[in-house]
Amino acid sequence: MVTVMIILENVGKTFKDDTQSGLVEAVRDVSLKIEKGEVYGIIGFSGAGKSTLVRCINLLERPTTGKVFVNGSELTAFSEPELRKARKKIGMIFQQFNLFTSRTAAQNVAYPLKYSGMTKAGIAGRVKELLGLVGLEDKESAYPSQLSGGQKQRVAIARALANDPGILLCDEATSSLDPQTTLSILKLLKELNSKLGITIVVITHEMHVVKEICSRVAVMENGAVVEEGDVFSVFANPKQKITRDFIDTTSNLSKIHALIAERSPIVKLKPGECIIKLKYQEKDISEALVSMISRKFNIDANIIFGDIEFLGGSPIGGLILIVNGARSDIDGAIAFLRNKNVGVEVILDAR
Ligand SMILES: Nc1ncnc2c1ncn2[C@@H]1O[C@H](COP(=O)(O)OP(=O)(O)OP(=O)(O)O)[C@@H](O)[C@H]1O
Ligand SMILES: [Mg+2]
């Protein structure tokens, strides 16, 4: 059974702008449902309103309009004490880790348990368990300055999990880490998601973060969610220009246009040749399509470059090919591919 964990209903947040006269509409009329146990991504460029939106989930920022429901209760209707209690069940981590520099890893993790009513020994045990969960059992006495960025984020994750929250909000949690450390933190989040069943909301401006761990994604622009859905559908068939821009940040397929513009020898066509782009946009493509078209239609297909990744076990991305053959054969091959639900775009035609 699918249970909804977070509901945002027409949430808006307007700030008074100190620098200019007027108001900043940081979040505009956002409605979203996030299911229990899923890893949900919110992607957008800087200033899109992602941090403001995620802070509206735990009411660190009180929405100007709209309602927020978490685990069946309306947070926007809670009193301050009720809210404080509810927030304990919503962990949060940040780009800059926000650790107490004068406290050890263990003391940082113990901090949220201070007024929990647990005994000293109980807290010590729980801290040990939490540091074990994030792979830092040997760092309990280390101060943040003695830890790497990845280790600091692990301490922050352990601290965020101290009160056994049902939700973990991650605001650019990997944005100041190198690519390898980013992957290790994303892997840890994924593990915690499956081990603890915790619902994770990931805010990012990096496409690969969404690809790596999210099952669904919302794309934000100018405070609004402009596109939303399961990651494969959104990235296989983007409806908005901004979504295509994000895809281009991790794909090399658009390089072809630069190569053509600069008349690179790689894309110099002989008569009869054309450059086509194949786009994999359906989940069930598994056939050896390039060798099939060259056999079936007696054409040569030369792969210039490709960018195919697997999202949820299905190929997504595409190939740039130079094909050479009789016009009727090339047309036949294109029709054949389209019939297999592969997107085909003729980029340059020397026929
Ligand atoms: N406390 C505030 N007072 C006034 N304006 C604010 C405040 N917080 C955010 N804003 C404005 O709201 C808009 C959205 O900001 P927000 O921080 O939510 O964006 P973001 O998508 O998280 O950006 P980034 O990727 O750079 O973190 C921006 O125009 C920002 O200047
Ligand atoms: Mg932000």
Side-chain angles (χ1 to χ4, degrees):
M1 196 188 75
V2 177
T3 325
V4 181
M5 191 62 164
I6 300 167
I7 302 175
L8 303 181
E9 224 177 71
N10 306 106
V11 167
K13 177 73 193 184
T14 305
F15 292 108
K16 283 204 181 62
D17 193 338
D18 299 334
T19 51
Q20 302 161 28
S21 57
L23 301 167
V24 185
E25 249 189 297
V27 174
R28 300 166 197 249
D29 196 27
V30 169
S31 295
L32 282 181
K33 281 194 177 125
I34 299 177
E35 286 159 16
K36 191 167 187 213
E38 78 173 324
V39 183
Y40 193 95
I42 298 174
I43 191 169
F45 290 114
S46 186
K50 308 177 297 293
S51 295
T52 308
L53 181 68
V54 81
R55 290 162 63 83
C56 283
I57 295 177
N58 56 9
L59 258 65
L60 280 181
E61 214 67 84
R62 188 169 276 279
T64 321
T65 56
K67 292 178 179 176
V68 176
F69 297 85
V70 168
N71 213 2
S73 309
E74 191 196 332
L75 251 54
T76 30
F78 274 2
S79 64
E80 226 12 83
E82 285 173 318
L83 204 51
R84 268 199 297 278
K85 200 166 152 222
R87 277 205 196 103
K88 288 206 167 122
K89 293 293 172 188
I90 309 176
M92 191 164 184
I93 57 171
F94 307 87
Q95 178 174 357
Q96 298 307 335
F97 322 123
N98 297 10
L99 298 177
F100 298 110
T101 51
S102 58
R103 293 173 203 251
T104 63
Q107 287 164 345
N108 267 283
V109 176
Y111 187 78
L113 300 171
K114 219 169 164 180
Y115 304 107
S116 63
M118 287 170 81
T119 62
K120 243 185 166 163
I123 291 179
R126 176 76 181 135
V127 168
K128 228 181 173 55
E129 185 189 353
L130 287 159
L131 285 172
L133 201 57
V134 298
L136 285 185
E137 42 280 276
D138 54 338
K139 295 288 180 195
E140 54 183 1
S141 317
Y143 286 90
S145 61
Q146 299 167 311
L147 298 171
S148 70
Q151 289 169 335
K152 281 184 228 179
Q153 196 57 291
R154 283 170 191 266
V155 174
I157 292 170
R159 182 178 62 179
L161 296 178
N163 281 306
D164 209 8
I167 299 172
L168 181 63
L169 306 175
C170 311
D171 190 351
E172 303 279 2
T174 57
S175 295
S176 50
L177 303 175
D178 64 61
Q180 225 172 339
T181 312
T182 292
L183 279 181
S184 78
I185 293 293
L186 295 178
K187 191 166 157 259
L188 172 65
L189 291 174
K190 189 83 204 142
E191 267 168 32
L192 295 170
N193 168 250
S194 29
K195 211 187 280 182
L196 310 174
I198 188 168
T199 306
I200 300 185
V201 182
V202 173
I203 303 294
T204 183
H205 62 273
E206 292 174 300
M207 173 77 183
H208 73 96
V209 169
V210 173
K211 282 188 182 168
E212 205 61 48
I213 59 166
C214 299
S215 52
R216 288 198 301 143
V217 64
V219 183
M220 270 191 100
E221 185 178 26
N222 284 329
V225 169
V226 293
E227 191 153 1
E228 202 253 346
D230 78 83
V231 172
F232 187 92
S233 313
V234 170
F235 293 136
N237 289 305
K239 307 245 171 340
Q240 302 291 333
K241 182 181 177 301
I242 184 146
T243 314
R244 289 193 286 274
D245 290 345
F246 272 113
I247 294 167
D248 285 346
T249 61
T250 59
S251 165
N252 62 14
L253 295 182
S254 53
K255 273 191 217 152
I256 186 68
H257 300 290
L259 289 178
I260 291 170
E262 69 199 29
R263 297 170 192 278
S264 160
I266 302 169
V267 295
K268 194 160 183 291
L269 298 184
K270 297 188 198 80
E273 288 185 334
C274 66
I275 298 179
I276 61 173
K277 175 174 166 183
L278 308 191
K279 224 179 97 201
Y280 293 166
Q281 55 200 10
E282 289 288 323
K283 279 198 168 172
D284 53 3
I285 293 171
S286 57
E287 292 161 291
L289 292 170
V290 176
S291 61
M292 275 168 87
I293 55 166
S294 60
R295 256 201 321 271
K296 249 175 132 71
F297 297 94
N298 194 31
I299 57 177
D300 286 323
N302 178 21
I303 300 175
I304 313 188
F305 43 79
D307 168 35
I308 298 176
E309 284 186 86
F310 282 81
L311 262 186
S314 301
I316 190 168
L319 295 174
I320 305 282
L321 306 177
I322 294 184
V323 290
N324 176 322
R327 172 175 278 252
S328 59
D329 282 333
I330 293 179
D331 289 343
I334 290 175
F336 171 83
L337 289 167
R338 288 197 174 133
N339 198 35
K340 293 270 179 196
N341 281 324
V342 176
V344 184
E345 188 187 332
V346 177
I347 290 181
L348 196 63
D349 194 343
R351 294 187 287 167

